[in-house]
Structure formats: C-alpha cells, structure tokens
Amino acid sequence: MAIMASRTCKADVAEGQLPVIDMAAMGQRIAARKAALGLPDLPRNSGKRRTASKQALLKAIEDAGGDW
C-alpha cells in the first residue's frame, strides 16, 4: 500500500504509518491564531429548535458522562 502525499509535504512518513496529531496542542495553536487575528468567540447554539432525536442524542451523551 502506498501512501500518497502532497509534493510540498516534507513529512517523512514510514510505510503504513500515519503521523500522530496531538489534539490538545492543535487546539492551543488554533486558539492562539484566533486570538492573534482578533476573532471573537462565537456564542453556542441556544438549542431552542432541536429535533427530538437530537435532544435524545445529547441526553445520551450527557448521561454517559460526555460534554458535547
């Protein structure tokens, strides 16, 4: 199996292995870039128009200990 990459990509990826992305570090980089650009924090959706199935899904996530 060959891994296709961009010709401009400098990543040295071994056969069959993909690079690992540290999601916490990526979130910090994105937050820093947004702050540097002066982008405002957008308000969350109020949820007033959610369907019954969406409400059930979010309740199940919350009951399982998740934070959506």
Side-chain angles (χ1 to χ4, degrees):
M1 173 182 147
I3 296 177
M4 300 193 63
S6 167
R7 291 179 185 205
T8 60
C9 180
K10 304 295 184 211
D12 185 18
V13 179
E15 182 69 27
Q17 294 185 0
L18 298 176
V20 176
I21 298 173
D22 182 344
M23 298 304 280
M26 185 174 82
Q28 291 172 346
R29 287 193 309 270
I30 291 171
R33 287 181 8 205
K34 286 174 68 174
L37 291 171
L39 298 177
D41 286 332
L42 299 176
R44 290 190 66 161
N45 184 334
S46 68
K48 292 180 181 177
R49 298 179 52 192
R50 289 194 176 126
T51 63
S53 62
K54 180 67 173 228
Q55 290 172 353
L57 173 65
L58 296 176
K59 172 103 172 70
I61 291 171
E62 185 178 319
D63 291 346
D67 181 21
W68 51 272

